[in-house]
Amino acid sequence: MPVDDRDHEHDQDQDQDHGYEDRFEERLGEALHQAGGAYETDRRALVAAGETRGHRLLLRRRAAVVGGLASVALVGLGGALLVPGGDDGRQSVATGAKSPTASAAPKTSYTGDELVGILEKLLPRGEFGSAEARGTHEQLPPYAQVVYNDGKGKAAIAVGFNRVLPGSEQARQTVGCPDKVSTPYDSCVVTRLPDGSALKLFQGYEYPDRRADTKLWTADLVTPKGQHVSVSEWNAAAEKGAPVSRAEPPLSTARLKTLATAGAWLGVVDAIPVDPKAPTAAPAQPSGIDGGAVASTLVSLLPKGVKVVAKSGPDSGYAYVVLDDGKGRSLVQINVQPNMSDVEHQLFGADAETLADGTKVVTHKEPGEKGGAGVVMWTADTIRTDGFRVVVSAFNSGSQETAATRTAPALTTKQLRAIALSAKWRGLG
């Protein structure tokens, strides 16, 4: 099939928010800091846990492997031949073909401008505005971002690249769907491709609390070698700070998949210099405390008269339930953490109550921390003399990100205290 070698006219008015790179680095920092921040009981729990939790790595930029796209076909995952262009400006797919450039030496470096050019060539026909990018040999991971308009309104589209350790927790969480209690979304589908790669297609929102109507749709690809390609698109000309310009982002999930699995992108990941200090094998999974056991124990300690309408899946040491006592939904979440003596002084100050057996207890009533309007968080935090810590919090909403559904949590601080001090937790540690 002939390749459409059209030239795109670039809008030079620079209407894109040029704080994009700062926001990208902020997202990267968040992702590396948390591999599931939605599951934190509170900041104290984060400090105490001493480990990162996260719902996914938010590397949203991407690029490609070939320089002369006008005459090169791109081999996708699973043996599909992806040919840029075509009469309708879309990528065409032909299975079973082999790359005509298989014998060519791999490209070892990409500039930001090259990444932008490749991204634009791989997108359907449209107009392009301002662009930003970072090449493969800079300190932070490479990415490319453009403002794209298919005639239905401007939209930011970004692609990013990184490596993850195969078999690691980071790799699993990158292609794992977040918990809807902590991250509201419309759709999340994970599929396994023929070559063993995992692909997550996600349709959600830039702001989990929905304070703006900015939609965020993403595709994350992780290959068996640990190559990570992430595509993101918004229904606005910028990730943040720009008004919604269209009802939905421009690329359907099918087109997101096609873009994310373009074989060109894997070459970009391969061109990222390897950190000689990076681990070469995933660490053994910590035994921890079984999240299922934590959840069932929590349910067994709830007072009568409350109904459990939702609960967490397995997650070491962490669990939550959503309660409804007839007055509205209320989230209750708990962390059970052995060996926390090293952070005791940070969490239990002069206001802590010391029981006869040496256990320390503190309770707090504070505003919620995840953006939900009017949300409050009531917490009971306990630590035994051997460092065994149980911290449980309740909220006056079914999720920290959504507005309050009631005036107070379904459980009082006295009830939370009794749950945290229960002897049943010692049987889990």
Side-chain angles (χ1 to χ4, degrees), residues 16 20 60-62 119 123-124 128 132 144-149 155-159 231-234 236-238 249-251 256 259:
Q16 170 75 357
Y20 180 84
R60 310 218 202 275
R61 342 286 167 217
R62 102 184 315 341
L119 175 58
L123 288 171
F128 292 87
E132 298 182 18
Q145 178 268 336
V146 298
V147 175
Y148 168 75
N149 192 339
I157 299 180
V159 58
V231 178
S232 298
E233 57 171 341
W234 295 264
L251 304 181
L256 272 177
L259 183 56

PDB file of all heavy atoms in Angstrom, residues 16 20 60-62 119 123-124 128 132 144-149 155-159 231-234 236-238 249-251 256 259:
ATOM      1  N   GLN A  16      -0.676  25.905  23.080  1.00  0.00           N
ATOM      2  CA  GLN A  16      -0.564  24.795  24.047  1.00  0.00           C
ATOM      3  C   GLN A  16       0.113  25.268  25.322  1.00  0.00           C
ATOM      4  O   GLN A  16       1.014  26.101  25.293  1.00  0.00           O
ATOM      5  CB  GLN A  16       0.255  23.663  23.392  1.00  0.00           C
ATOM      6  CG  GLN A  16       0.658  22.568  24.343  1.00  0.00           C
ATOM      7  CD  GLN A  16      -0.526  21.682  24.659  1.00  0.00           C
ATOM      8  OE1 GLN A  16      -1.606  21.957  24.192  1.00  0.00           O
ATOM      9  NE2 GLN A  16      -0.327  20.679  25.458  1.00  0.00           N
ATOM     10  N   TYR A  20       3.764  21.715  30.048  1.00  0.00           N
ATOM     11  CA  TYR A  20       3.520  20.268  29.889  1.00  0.00           C
ATOM     12  C   TYR A  20       4.650  19.435  30.451  1.00  0.00           C
ATOM     13  O   TYR A  20       4.441  18.463  31.141  1.00  0.00           O
ATOM     14  CB  TYR A  20       3.321  19.946  28.414  1.00  0.00           C
ATOM     15  CG  TYR A  20       3.068  18.498  28.193  1.00  0.00           C
ATOM     16  CD1 TYR A  20       1.790  17.982  28.338  1.00  0.00           C
ATOM     17  CD2 TYR A  20       4.111  17.631  27.895  1.00  0.00           C
ATOM     18  CE1 TYR A  20       1.540  16.652  28.165  1.00  0.00           C
ATOM     19  CE2 TYR A  20       3.869  16.300  27.731  1.00  0.00           C
ATOM     20  CZ  TYR A  20       2.582  15.822  27.862  1.00  0.00           C
ATOM     21  OH  TYR A  20       2.367  14.494  27.698  1.00  0.00           O
ATOM     22  N   ARG A  60       3.081   9.124  29.499  1.00  0.00           N
ATOM     23  CA  ARG A  60       2.070   9.260  28.483  1.00  0.00           C
ATOM     24  C   ARG A  60       2.621   9.688  27.148  1.00  0.00           C
ATOM     25  O   ARG A  60       1.942  10.353  26.423  1.00  0.00           O
ATOM     26  CB  ARG A  60       1.083  10.318  28.903  1.00  0.00           C
ATOM     27  CG  ARG A  60       0.569  10.121  30.277  1.00  0.00           C
ATOM     28  CD  ARG A  60      -0.856  10.487  30.261  1.00  0.00           C
ATOM     29  NE  ARG A  60      -1.353  10.816  31.509  1.00  0.00           N
ATOM     30  CZ  ARG A  60      -1.792   9.950  32.346  1.00  0.00           C
ATOM     31  NH1 ARG A  60      -1.806   8.705  32.053  1.00  0.00           N
ATOM     32  NH2 ARG A  60      -2.251  10.329  33.489  1.00  0.00           N
ATOM     33  N   ARG A  61       3.843   9.481  26.858  1.00  0.00           N
ATOM     34  CA  ARG A  61       4.356   9.992  25.586  1.00  0.00           C
ATOM     35  C   ARG A  61       4.908   8.849  24.757  1.00  0.00           C
ATOM     36  O   ARG A  61       5.214   7.793  25.235  1.00  0.00           O
ATOM     37  CB  ARG A  61       5.441  11.025  25.809  1.00  0.00           C
ATOM     38  CG  ARG A  61       5.431  11.588  27.206  1.00  0.00           C
ATOM     39  CD  ARG A  61       4.297  12.542  27.457  1.00  0.00           C
ATOM     40  NE  ARG A  61       4.183  12.779  28.850  1.00  0.00           N
ATOM     41  CZ  ARG A  61       3.063  12.935  29.460  1.00  0.00           C
ATOM     42  NH1 ARG A  61       1.946  12.890  28.828  1.00  0.00           N
ATOM     43  NH2 ARG A  61       3.043  13.151  30.719  1.00  0.00           N
ATOM     44  N   ARG A  62       5.086   9.012  23.496  1.00  0.00           N
ATOM     45  CA  ARG A  62       5.597   7.901  22.725  1.00  0.00           C
ATOM     46  C   ARG A  62       6.246   8.361  21.449  1.00  0.00           C
ATOM     47  O   ARG A  62       6.198   9.497  21.102  1.00  0.00           O
ATOM     48  CB  ARG A  62       4.448   6.947  22.546  1.00  0.00           C
ATOM     49  CG  ARG A  62       3.842   7.008  21.281  1.00  0.00           C
ATOM     50  CD  ARG A  62       2.825   6.320  21.050  1.00  0.00           C
ATOM     51  NE  ARG A  62       2.267   5.143  21.173  1.00  0.00           N
ATOM     52  CZ  ARG A  62       2.762   4.011  21.389  1.00  0.00           C
ATOM     53  NH1 ARG A  62       3.970   3.884  21.659  1.00  0.00           N
ATOM     54  NH2 ARG A  62       2.048   2.982  21.354  1.00  0.00           N
ATOM     55  N   LEU A 119       5.233  10.584  15.625  1.00  0.00           N
ATOM     56  CA  LEU A 119       3.897  10.579  16.200  1.00  0.00           C
ATOM     57  C   LEU A 119       2.896  11.192  15.229  1.00  0.00           C
ATOM     58  O   LEU A 119       1.802  10.646  15.014  1.00  0.00           O
ATOM     59  CB  LEU A 119       3.894  11.344  17.531  1.00  0.00           C
ATOM     60  CG  LEU A 119       2.534  11.537  18.203  1.00  0.00           C
ATOM     61  CD1 LEU A 119       1.862  10.195  18.468  1.00  0.00           C
ATOM     62  CD2 LEU A 119       2.690  12.329  19.493  1.00  0.00           C
ATOM     63  N   LEU A 123      -0.559   9.322  13.347  1.00  0.00           N
ATOM     64  CA  LEU A 123      -1.923   9.718  13.663  1.00  0.00           C
ATOM     65  C   LEU A 123      -2.754   9.877  12.397  1.00  0.00           C
ATOM     66  O   LEU A 123      -2.216  10.108  11.314  1.00  0.00           O
ATOM     67  CB  LEU A 123      -1.904  11.033  14.449  1.00  0.00           C
ATOM     68  CG  LEU A 123      -1.397  10.943  15.888  1.00  0.00           C
ATOM     69  CD1 LEU A 123      -1.226  12.332  16.488  1.00  0.00           C
ATOM     70  CD2 LEU A 123      -2.336  10.099  16.753  1.00  0.00           C
ATOM     71  N   PRO A 124      -4.069   9.749  12.502  1.00  0.00           N
ATOM     72  CA  PRO A 124      -4.925   9.987  11.340  1.00  0.00           C
ATOM     73  C   PRO A 124      -4.766  11.412  10.825  1.00  0.00           C
ATOM     74  O   PRO A 124      -4.276  12.295  11.531  1.00  0.00           O
ATOM     75  CB  PRO A 124      -6.340   9.747  11.890  1.00  0.00           C
ATOM     76  CG  PRO A 124      -6.149   8.900  13.106  1.00  0.00           C
ATOM     77  CD  PRO A 124      -4.828   9.317  13.682  1.00  0.00           C
ATOM     78  N   PHE A 128      -2.131  19.930  13.091  1.00  0.00           N
ATOM     79  CA  PHE A 128      -1.298  19.835  14.275  1.00  0.00           C
ATOM     80  C   PHE A 128      -0.902  21.226  14.742  1.00  0.00           C
ATOM     81  O   PHE A 128      -0.550  22.079  13.944  1.00  0.00           O
ATOM     82  CB  PHE A 128      -0.042  18.991  13.994  1.00  0.00           C
ATOM     83  CG  PHE A 128      -0.363  17.548  13.758  1.00  0.00           C
ATOM     84  CD1 PHE A 128      -0.687  17.102  12.498  1.00  0.00           C
ATOM     85  CD2 PHE A 128      -0.358  16.642  14.801  1.00  0.00           C
ATOM     86  CE1 PHE A 128      -0.999  15.775  12.271  1.00  0.00           C
ATOM     87  CE2 PHE A 128      -0.661  15.311  14.584  1.00  0.00           C
ATOM     88  CZ  PHE A 128      -0.995  14.878  13.315  1.00  0.00           C
ATOM     89  N   GLU A 132       5.712  19.392  21.971  1.00  0.00           N
ATOM     90  CA  GLU A 132       6.826  19.347  22.915  1.00  0.00           C
ATOM     91  C   GLU A 132       7.339  17.922  22.981  1.00  0.00           C
ATOM     92  O   GLU A 132       6.593  16.968  22.740  1.00  0.00           O
ATOM     93  CB  GLU A 132       6.385  19.821  24.304  1.00  0.00           C
ATOM     94  CG  GLU A 132       5.907  21.257  24.336  1.00  0.00           C
ATOM     95  CD  GLU A 132       5.528  21.711  25.731  1.00  0.00           C
ATOM     96  OE1 GLU A 132       5.957  21.040  26.693  1.00  0.00           O
ATOM     97  OE2 GLU A 132       4.809  22.702  25.848  1.00  0.00           O
ATOM     98  N   ALA A 144       6.811  12.491  23.550  1.00  0.00           N
ATOM     99  CA  ALA A 144       6.413  13.467  22.538  1.00  0.00           C
ATOM    100  C   ALA A 144       4.948  13.785  22.761  1.00  0.00           C
ATOM    101  O   ALA A 144       4.150  12.904  23.092  1.00  0.00           O
ATOM    102  CB  ALA A 144       6.637  12.925  21.128  1.00  0.00           C
ATOM    103  N   GLN A 145       4.589  15.036  22.569  1.00  0.00           N
ATOM    104  CA  GLN A 145       3.211  15.474  22.765  1.00  0.00           C
ATOM    105  C   GLN A 145       2.862  16.499  21.699  1.00  0.00           C
ATOM    106  O   GLN A 145       3.671  17.372  21.363  1.00  0.00           O
ATOM    107  CB  GLN A 145       3.041  16.072  24.155  1.00  0.00           C
ATOM    108  CG  GLN A 145       1.652  16.600  24.445  1.00  0.00           C
ATOM    109  CD  GLN A 145       1.506  18.062  24.112  1.00  0.00           C
ATOM    110  OE1 GLN A 145       2.498  18.793  24.079  1.00  0.00           O
ATOM    111  NE2 GLN A 145       0.297  18.498  23.858  1.00  0.00           N
ATOM    112  N   VAL A 146       1.673  16.361  21.131  1.00  0.00           N
ATOM    113  CA  VAL A 146       1.220  17.293  20.103  1.00  0.00           C
ATOM    114  C   VAL A 146      -0.213  17.711  20.395  1.00  0.00           C
ATOM    115  O   VAL A 146      -0.953  17.024  21.094  1.00  0.00           O
ATOM    116  CB  VAL A 146       1.276  16.667  18.683  1.00  0.00           C
ATOM    117  CG1 VAL A 146       2.708  16.311  18.315  1.00  0.00           C
ATOM    118  CG2 VAL A 146       0.368  15.444  18.591  1.00  0.00           C
ATOM    119  N   VAL A 147      -0.585  18.868  19.856  1.00  0.00           N
ATOM    120  CA  VAL A 147      -1.975  19.286  19.828  1.00  0.00           C
ATOM    121  C   VAL A 147      -2.527  18.888  18.464  1.00  0.00           C
ATOM    122  O   VAL A 147      -1.989  19.280  17.426  1.00  0.00           O
ATOM    123  CB  VAL A 147      -2.120  20.795  20.049  1.00  0.00           C
ATOM    124  CG1 VAL A 147      -3.579  21.221  19.901  1.00  0.00           C
ATOM    125  CG2 VAL A 147      -1.613  21.174  21.438  1.00  0.00           C
ATOM    126  N   TYR A 148      -3.579  18.101  18.476  1.00  0.00           N
ATOM    127  CA  TYR A 148      -4.116  17.489  17.255  1.00  0.00           C
ATOM    128  C   TYR A 148      -5.575  17.882  17.094  1.00  0.00           C
ATOM    129  O   TYR A 148      -6.324  17.984  18.069  1.00  0.00           O
ATOM    130  CB  TYR A 148      -3.982  15.974  17.375  1.00  0.00           C
ATOM    131  CG  TYR A 148      -4.726  15.154  16.347  1.00  0.00           C
ATOM    132  CD1 TYR A 148      -4.261  15.042  15.040  1.00  0.00           C
ATOM    133  CD2 TYR A 148      -5.888  14.471  16.713  1.00  0.00           C
ATOM    134  CE1 TYR A 148      -4.951  14.265  14.107  1.00  0.00           C
ATOM    135  CE2 TYR A 148      -6.565  13.688  15.801  1.00  0.00           C
ATOM    136  CZ  TYR A 148      -6.098  13.588  14.496  1.00  0.00           C
ATOM    137  OH  TYR A 148      -6.780  12.825  13.579  1.00  0.00           O
ATOM    138  N   ASN A 149      -5.985  18.129  15.849  1.00  0.00           N
ATOM    139  CA  ASN A 149      -7.373  18.480  15.568  1.00  0.00           C
ATOM    140  C   ASN A 149      -7.826  17.730  14.328  1.00  0.00           C
ATOM    141  O   ASN A 149      -7.294  17.931  13.239  1.00  0.00           O
ATOM    142  CB  ASN A 149      -7.509  19.986  15.361  1.00  0.00           C
ATOM    143  CG  ASN A 149      -8.969  20.438  15.349  1.00  0.00           C
ATOM    144  OD1 ASN A 149      -9.872  19.641  15.112  1.00  0.00           O
ATOM    145  ND2 ASN A 149      -9.197  21.721  15.601  1.00  0.00           N
ATOM    146  N   ALA A 155      -7.130  18.554  20.667  1.00  0.00           N
ATOM    147  CA  ALA A 155      -6.913  17.531  21.693  1.00  0.00           C
ATOM    148  C   ALA A 155      -5.418  17.318  21.873  1.00  0.00           C
ATOM    149  O   ALA A 155      -4.664  17.316  20.902  1.00  0.00           O
ATOM    150  CB  ALA A 155      -7.583  16.219  21.298  1.00  0.00           C
ATOM    151  N   ALA A 156      -4.984  17.153  23.106  1.00  0.00           N
ATOM    152  CA  ALA A 156      -3.593  16.799  23.379  1.00  0.00           C
ATOM    153  C   ALA A 156      -3.442  15.286  23.252  1.00  0.00           C
ATOM    154  O   ALA A 156      -4.267  14.523  23.757  1.00  0.00           O
ATOM    155  CB  ALA A 156      -3.191  17.254  24.771  1.00  0.00           C
ATOM    156  N   ILE A 157      -2.399  14.869  22.547  1.00  0.00           N
ATOM    157  CA  ILE A 157      -2.060  13.450  22.436  1.00  0.00           C
ATOM    158  C   ILE A 157      -0.579  13.307  22.771  1.00  0.00           C
ATOM    159  O   ILE A 157       0.257  14.043  22.248  1.00  0.00           O
ATOM    160  CB  ILE A 157      -2.338  12.897  21.029  1.00  0.00           C
ATOM    161  CG1 ILE A 157      -3.829  13.029  20.691  1.00  0.00           C
ATOM    162  CG2 ILE A 157      -1.915  11.430  20.933  1.00  0.00           C
ATOM    163  CD1 ILE A 157      -4.183  12.507  19.307  1.00  0.00           C
ATOM    164  N   ALA A 158      -0.258  12.370  23.639  1.00  0.00           N
ATOM    165  CA  ALA A 158       1.111  12.216  24.104  1.00  0.00           C
ATOM    166  C   ALA A 158       1.507  10.755  24.115  1.00  0.00           C
ATOM    167  O   ALA A 158       0.670   9.866  24.248  1.00  0.00           O
ATOM    168  CB  ALA A 158       1.270  12.808  25.508  1.00  0.00           C
ATOM    169  N   VAL A 159       2.795  10.529  23.953  1.00  0.00           N
ATOM    170  CA  VAL A 159       3.323   9.168  24.002  1.00  0.00           C
ATOM    171  C   VAL A 159       4.627   9.192  24.787  1.00  0.00           C
ATOM    172  O   VAL A 159       5.431  10.104  24.643  1.00  0.00           O
ATOM    173  CB  VAL A 159       3.532   8.592  22.584  1.00  0.00           C
ATOM    174  CG1 VAL A 159       4.471   9.455  21.772  1.00  0.00           C
ATOM    175  CG2 VAL A 159       4.043   7.168  22.645  1.00  0.00           C
ATOM    176  N   VAL A 231       0.436   5.647  25.672  1.00  0.00           N
ATOM    177  CA  VAL A 231      -0.223   6.686  24.886  1.00  0.00           C
ATOM    178  C   VAL A 231      -1.330   7.286  25.727  1.00  0.00           C
ATOM    179  O   VAL A 231      -2.063   6.565  26.401  1.00  0.00           O
ATOM    180  CB  VAL A 231      -0.818   6.115  23.589  1.00  0.00           C
ATOM    181  CG1 VAL A 231      -1.546   7.203  22.807  1.00  0.00           C
ATOM    182  CG2 VAL A 231       0.266   5.494  22.730  1.00  0.00           C
ATOM    183  N   SER A 232      -1.462   8.608  25.682  1.00  0.00           N
ATOM    184  CA  SER A 232      -2.526   9.291  26.401  1.00  0.00           C
ATOM    185  C   SER A 232      -3.170  10.330  25.500  1.00  0.00           C
ATOM    186  O   SER A 232      -2.494  10.948  24.674  1.00  0.00           O
ATOM    187  CB  SER A 232      -1.990   9.984  27.660  1.00  0.00           C
ATOM    188  OG  SER A 232      -1.438   9.059  28.559  1.00  0.00           O
ATOM    189  N   GLU A 233      -4.442  10.515  25.660  1.00  0.00           N
ATOM    190  CA  GLU A 233      -5.146  11.552  24.915  1.00  0.00           C
ATOM    191  C   GLU A 233      -6.218  12.172  25.796  1.00  0.00           C
ATOM    192  O   GLU A 233      -6.766  11.524  26.697  1.00  0.00           O
ATOM    193  CB  GLU A 233      -5.769  10.983  23.642  1.00  0.00           C
ATOM    194  CG  GLU A 233      -6.738   9.827  23.881  1.00  0.00           C
ATOM    195  CD  GLU A 233      -7.507   9.438  22.630  1.00  0.00           C
ATOM    196  OE1 GLU A 233      -7.576  10.261  21.693  1.00  0.00           O
ATOM    197  OE2 GLU A 233      -8.059   8.321  22.602  1.00  0.00           O
ATOM    198  N   TRP A 234      -6.493  13.443  25.531  1.00  0.00           N
ATOM    199  CA  TRP A 234      -7.467  14.201  26.298  1.00  0.00           C
ATOM    200  C   TRP A 234      -8.466  14.867  25.358  1.00  0.00           C
ATOM    201  O   TRP A 234      -8.177  15.069  24.176  1.00  0.00           O
ATOM    202  CB  TRP A 234      -6.766  15.271  27.128  1.00  0.00           C
ATOM    203  CG  TRP A 234      -5.854  14.761  28.190  1.00  0.00           C
ATOM    204  CD1 TRP A 234      -6.144  14.588  29.499  1.00  0.00           C
ATOM    205  CD2 TRP A 234      -4.475  14.363  28.043  1.00  0.00           C
ATOM    206  NE1 TRP A 234      -5.044  14.111  30.183  1.00  0.00           N
ATOM    207  CE2 TRP A 234      -4.005  13.967  29.313  1.00  0.00           C
ATOM    208  CE3 TRP A 234      -3.601  14.316  26.959  1.00  0.00           C
ATOM    209  CZ2 TRP A 234      -2.715  13.522  29.535  1.00  0.00           C
ATOM    210  CZ3 TRP A 234      -2.307  13.873  27.174  1.00  0.00           C
ATOM    211  CH2 TRP A 234      -1.869  13.478  28.445  1.00  0.00           C
ATOM    212  N   ALA A 236      -9.157  17.926  25.429  1.00  0.00           N
ATOM    213  CA  ALA A 236      -8.771  19.323  25.598  1.00  0.00           C
ATOM    214  C   ALA A 236      -7.388  19.489  24.986  1.00  0.00           C
ATOM    215  O   ALA A 236      -6.684  18.508  24.721  1.00  0.00           O
ATOM    216  CB  ALA A 236      -8.758  19.712  27.078  1.00  0.00           C
ATOM    217  N   ALA A 237      -6.986  20.736  24.763  1.00  0.00           N
ATOM    218  CA  ALA A 237      -5.702  20.996  24.118  1.00  0.00           C
ATOM    219  C   ALA A 237      -4.524  20.827  25.061  1.00  0.00           C
ATOM    220  O   ALA A 237      -3.368  20.942  24.629  1.00  0.00           O
ATOM    221  CB  ALA A 237      -5.692  22.417  23.532  1.00  0.00           C
ATOM    222  N   ALA A 238      -4.784  20.565  26.320  1.00  0.00           N
ATOM    223  CA  ALA A 238      -3.712  20.337  27.290  1.00  0.00           C
ATOM    224  C   ALA A 238      -4.218  19.400  28.368  1.00  0.00           C
ATOM    225  O   ALA A 238      -5.428  19.278  28.614  1.00  0.00           O
ATOM    226  CB  ALA A 238      -3.240  21.654  27.911  1.00  0.00           C
ATOM    227  N   PRO A 249     -11.993  12.413  23.637  1.00  0.00           N
ATOM    228  CA  PRO A 249     -10.699  12.407  22.951  1.00  0.00           C
ATOM    229  C   PRO A 249     -10.868  11.846  21.530  1.00  0.00           C
ATOM    230  O   PRO A 249     -11.817  11.108  21.251  1.00  0.00           O
ATOM    231  CB  PRO A 249      -9.837  11.486  23.819  1.00  0.00           C
ATOM    232  CG  PRO A 249     -10.457  11.571  25.179  1.00  0.00           C
ATOM    233  CD  PRO A 249     -11.935  11.691  24.927  1.00  0.00           C
ATOM    234  N   PRO A 250      -9.956  12.174  20.614  1.00  0.00           N
ATOM    235  CA  PRO A 250     -10.168  11.853  19.195  1.00  0.00           C
ATOM    236  C   PRO A 250      -9.996  10.387  18.822  1.00  0.00           C
ATOM    237  O   PRO A 250     -10.618   9.918  17.874  1.00  0.00           O
ATOM    238  CB  PRO A 250      -9.135  12.717  18.476  1.00  0.00           C
ATOM    239  CG  PRO A 250      -8.064  12.952  19.494  1.00  0.00           C
ATOM    240  CD  PRO A 250      -8.784  13.029  20.806  1.00  0.00           C
ATOM    241  N   LEU A 251      -9.150   9.634  19.512  1.00  0.00           N
ATOM    242  CA  LEU A 251      -8.856   8.262  19.109  1.00  0.00           C
ATOM    243  C   LEU A 251      -9.740   7.273  19.851  1.00  0.00           C
ATOM    244  O   LEU A 251      -9.820   7.296  21.082  1.00  0.00           O
ATOM    245  CB  LEU A 251      -7.388   7.918  19.372  1.00  0.00           C
ATOM    246  CG  LEU A 251      -6.339   8.825  18.721  1.00  0.00           C
ATOM    247  CD1 LEU A 251      -4.935   8.333  19.064  1.00  0.00           C
ATOM    248  CD2 LEU A 251      -6.526   8.895  17.217  1.00  0.00           C
ATOM    249  N   LEU A 256      -6.331   3.641  19.586  1.00  0.00           N
ATOM    250  CA  LEU A 256      -5.327   3.683  20.648  1.00  0.00           C
ATOM    251  C   LEU A 256      -4.485   2.412  20.636  1.00  0.00           C
ATOM    252  O   LEU A 256      -3.257   2.469  20.785  1.00  0.00           O
ATOM    253  CB  LEU A 256      -6.009   3.843  22.008  1.00  0.00           C
ATOM    254  CG  LEU A 256      -6.306   5.243  22.516  1.00  0.00           C
ATOM    255  CD1 LEU A 256      -7.046   5.165  23.840  1.00  0.00           C
ATOM    256  CD2 LEU A 256      -5.032   6.067  22.672  1.00  0.00           C
ATOM    257  N   LEU A 259      -2.066   2.481  17.719  1.00  0.00           N
ATOM    258  CA  LEU A 259      -0.960   3.410  17.957  1.00  0.00           C
ATOM    259  C   LEU A 259       0.001   2.858  18.998  1.00  0.00           C
ATOM    260  O   LEU A 259       1.219   2.913  18.830  1.00  0.00           O
ATOM    261  CB  LEU A 259      -1.524   4.757  18.402  1.00  0.00           C
ATOM    262  CG  LEU A 259      -0.526   5.892  18.628  1.00  0.00           C
ATOM    263  CD1 LEU A 259       0.320   6.140  17.384  1.00  0.00           C
ATOM    264  CD2 LEU A 259      -1.245   7.159  19.046  1.00  0.00           C
TER     265      LEU A 259
END
